[in-house]
C-alpha cells in the first residue's frame, strides 16, 4: 500500500491505494457520504448524534470509476477504538458491488491508521446476519483475513414477515395469553415520530420496578429520535388513561424494523401486554413492506445472556441468527 492523492472536495487525512481500490480517512463531518445510505445508523445525522467527539470515516472507492464502494466509521479512544460509537451495530457498510479482497484492503488500511494513532484494540459490533446474509458472509471472511477475531457471537432473534397472522406464528400458550390480554380491554396505540414524555417516564418506571439500571435518561429518547423521527415508531398499551407497556422501534433499513426498547409494568405481567405490542409491530411491518422484525439479542441489565427472554422470542416466532462482535489487537 502506498499513499496517493485523491479527488474529493475535502483533503483526506491519509490515503492508500491497491490495484483497483482507494481508501481515504476523514473526520466524519468532512467525509464524502454515499448518495444512498442503506442502513440508518450510518447516516451523517445519526453518527453526529452518537458522539460529539471525533469520529473517523474510512471511505473505500473504486480506483477506476471513483465510486464509493463501502464505508466504515469508528470512534477513537485513548487505546480502545469502537465501531460504532453508540448504536446497535456498525462496522463495514458496502454500498455498491465490491470484492472480498477490496473489503479486506479497507480493513488493513483501518488497522494501519489505528496503529499510527496509538490504538491498541479495535472493537467492531456488526449487524445481525439476517439483515443481508450474503453481505454478512463476505464481510465475515474479510474481517478474518484482515486479522480480526470474533470476540463474541450472540444469538439474535428476528421474525420473518409472512402472509400469516401473528397469532398463527406464535405458540399455543402465547396465543392464549394474547387473547387474554385483548379480553382485558387494553387498547393499543401506534405513533410515528417522537416518543412522548409520558411513555418515556413509564419506561424508566419499568426499569426501576424490574430492578434494572435506567436504560435511557430523561429527555434522551427524543434526542435519539430527533436525528430521523420518520424512522421511529412507538407502540403503547393503555389501561384507560394509564400506559402499562410500550415499545420503541426503528426502521434501520428499508426491509428491517428493529426493536430498540420496550417495557411493561410488572403488575400487568399476567396478561402479557408485550404480546399485543409485538402483534402491532408485526402488522405494521406487513402493511409497510418490511420483511424482518428484528427482536435483537437477549441480555439482562448486567450484559449476561437472559435465557428466559430468548425463549420468549422463540415462542413468538423468532428465529436465531448470529450477531458478531469482532476485535483486533493492533
Amino acid at each position: 500500500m502506498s499513499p496517493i492523492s485523491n479527488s474529493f472536495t475535502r483533503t483526506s487525512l491519509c490515503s492508500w491505494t491497491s490495484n483497483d481500490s482507494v481508501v481515504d480517512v476523514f473526520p466524519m463531518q468532512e467525509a464524502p457520504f454515499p448518495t444512498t445510505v442503506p442502513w440508518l445508523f450510518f447516516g451523517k445525522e445519526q453518527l453526529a448524534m452518537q458522539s460529539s467527539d471525533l469520529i473517523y470515516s474510512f471511505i473505500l472507492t473504486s480506483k477506476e470509476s471513483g465510486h464509493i464502494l463501502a464505508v466504515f466509521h469508528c470512534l477513537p479512544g485513548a487505546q480502545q477504538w469502537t465501531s460504532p460509537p453508540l448504536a446497535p451495530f456498525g462496522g463495514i457498510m458496502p454500498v455498491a458491488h465490491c470484492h472480498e479482497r477490496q473489503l479486506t484492503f479497507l480493513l488493513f488500511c483501518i488497522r494501519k491508521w489505528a496503529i499510527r494513532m496509538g490504538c491498541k484494540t479495535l472493537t467492531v459490533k456488526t449487524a445481525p446476519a439476517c439483515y443481508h446474509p450474503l453481505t454478512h458472509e463476505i464481510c465475515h471472511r474479510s474481517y478474518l483475513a484482515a486479522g480480526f477475531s470474533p470476540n463474541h457471537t450472540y444469538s439474535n432473534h428476528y421474525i420473518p414477515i409472512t402472509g400469516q397472522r401473528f397469532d398463527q406464528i406464535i405458540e399455543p400458550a402465547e396465543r392464549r395469553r394474547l387473547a387474554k390480554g385483548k379480553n382485558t380491554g387494553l387498547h393499543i396505540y401506534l405513533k410515528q415520530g417522537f416518543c412522548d414524555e409520558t411513555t418515556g417516564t413509564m419506561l424508566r418506571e419499568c426499569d426501576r420496578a424490574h430492578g434494572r439500571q435506567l436504560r435511557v435518561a430523561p429527555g434522551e429518547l427524543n434526542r435519539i429520535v430527533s436525528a430521523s423521527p420518520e424512522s421511529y415508531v412507538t407502540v403503547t398499551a393503555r389501561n384507560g388513561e394509564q400506559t402499562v407497556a410500550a415499545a420503541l422501534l426503528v426502521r434501520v433499513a428499508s426491509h428491517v424494523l428493529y426493536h430498540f426498547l420496550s417495557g411493561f409494568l410488572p403488575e400487568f405481567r399476567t396478561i402479557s401486554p408485550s404480546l399485543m405490542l409485538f402483534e402491532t409491530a408485526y402488522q405494521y411491518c406487513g402493511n409497510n413492506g418490511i420483511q424482518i422484525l428484528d427482536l435483537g439479542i437477549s441480555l439482562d441489565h448486567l450484559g449476561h445472556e437472559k435465557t428466559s427472554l430468548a425463549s420468549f422470542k422463540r415462542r413468538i416466532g423468532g428465529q436465531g441468527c448470529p450477531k458478531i462482535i469482532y476485535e483486533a489487537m493492533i
Side-chain angles (χ1 to χ4, degrees), residues 4-15 22 24-26:
I4 64 166
S5 60
N6 61 67
S7 58
F8 292 129
T9 303
R10 299 293 184 96
T11 302
S12 64
L13 299 172
C14 194
S15 187
V22 180
D24 288 273
V25 55
F26 295 86

Side-chain angles (χ1 to χ4, degrees), residues 16-330:
W16 302 267
T17 183
S18 68
N19 292 333
D20 58 0
S21 307
V22 180
V23 173
D24 288 273
V25 55
F26 295 86
M28 185 273 293
Q29 295 292 0
E30 299 181 9
F33 272 65
T35 304
T36 301
V37 178
W39 292 348
L40 177 71
F41 295 123
F42 286 79
K44 182 171 284 190
E45 297 81 4
Q46 285 285 330
L47 287 163
M49 180 275 300
Q50 292 177 38
S51 176
S52 59
D53 295 330
L54 170 67
I55 296 174
Y56 287 123
S57 295
F58 296 85
I59 311 297
L60 172 71
T61 57
S62 165
K63 191 174 179 182
E64 179 180 356
S65 68
H67 294 157
I68 295 176
L69 303 177
V71 299
F72 182 101
H73 309 284
C74 63
L75 179 72
Q79 294 186 331
Q80 171 111 21
W81 291 26
T82 56
S83 175
L86 178 65
F89 58 86
I92 300 171
M93 183 185 72
V95 294
H97 174 72
C98 55
H99 298 288
E100 188 177 318
R101 68 175 184 278
Q102 294 173 306
L103 297 179
T104 303
F105 173 63
L106 167 64
L107 290 166
F108 271 123
C109 294
I110 293 166
R111 294 193 64 174
K112 189 170 185 179
W113 178 255
I115 291 170
R116 179 185 300 188
M117 303 306 294
C119 170
K120 300 300 182 184
T121 306
L122 174 56
T123 302
V124 182
K125 182 166 54 176
T126 64
C130 63
Y131 283 22
H132 199 300
L134 179 59
T135 297
H136 169 80
E137 286 299 322
I138 293 172
C139 289
H140 177 65
R141 292 194 297 267
S142 300
Y143 283 117
L144 297 181
F148 287 76
S149 300
N151 174 263
H152 201 102
T153 300
Y154 293 104
S155 178
N156 190 94
H157 287 91
Y158 68 100
I159 302 177
I161 307 304
T162 67
Q164 292 179 291
R165 298 190 313 271
F166 183 73
D167 61 1
Q168 293 174 315
I169 68 168
I170 64 179
E171 293 188 0
E174 302 304 328
R175 194 176 304 131
R176 289 191 293 271
R177 292 189 184 95
L178 178 62
K180 181 179 179 181
K182 292 179 177 180
N183 289 336
T184 62
L186 288 183
H187 294 282
I188 303 298
Y189 300 88
L190 184 147
K191 182 177 69 173
Q192 191 168 346
F194 291 98
C195 181
D196 61 74
E197 188 51 38
T198 300
T199 301
T201 300
M202 192 281 304
L203 288 169
R204 290 190 293 275
E205 184 180 342
C206 290
D207 285 341
R208 286 188 287 267
H210 288 277
R212 297 187 292 253
Q213 293 181 337
L214 294 184
R215 292 170 291 177
V216 181
E220 185 71 3
L221 281 181
N222 278 337
R223 190 187 73 82
I224 293 170
V225 174
S226 63
S228 304
E230 71 285 353
S231 300
Y232 287 82
V233 174
T234 304
V235 185
T236 55
R238 296 181 192 170
N239 180 33
E241 295 298 315
Q242 182 186 19
T243 300
V244 302
L248 181 64
L249 306 108
V250 54
R251 193 166 186 171
V252 296
S254 61
H255 69 300
V256 180
L257 185 69
Y258 168 67
H259 168 235
F260 179 73
L261 183 70
S262 67
F264 63 89
L265 297 177
E267 57 265 36
F268 290 88
R269 181 189 300 273
T270 57
I271 60 174
S272 300
S274 295
L275 285 168
M276 299 176 68
L277 301 182
F278 284 118
E279 179 183 49
T280 302
Y282 181 88
Q283 292 169 342
Y284 177 85
C285 289
N287 293 336
N288 289 274
I290 299 172
Q291 301 166 12
I292 292 172
L293 175 56
D294 180 11
L295 304 177
I297 58 178
S298 302
L299 304 180
D300 63 18
H301 63 289
L302 298 175
H304 302 140
E305 189 166 355
K306 190 173 182 178
T307 55
S308 60
L309 180 56
S311 177
F312 169 72
K313 291 175 181 179
R314 289 191 294 270
R315 294 197 303 271
I316 64 170
Q319 300 180 16
C321 73
K323 177 180 170 64
I324 303 176
I325 296 178
Y326 297 92
E327 190 170 272
M329 306 299 290
I330 304 299

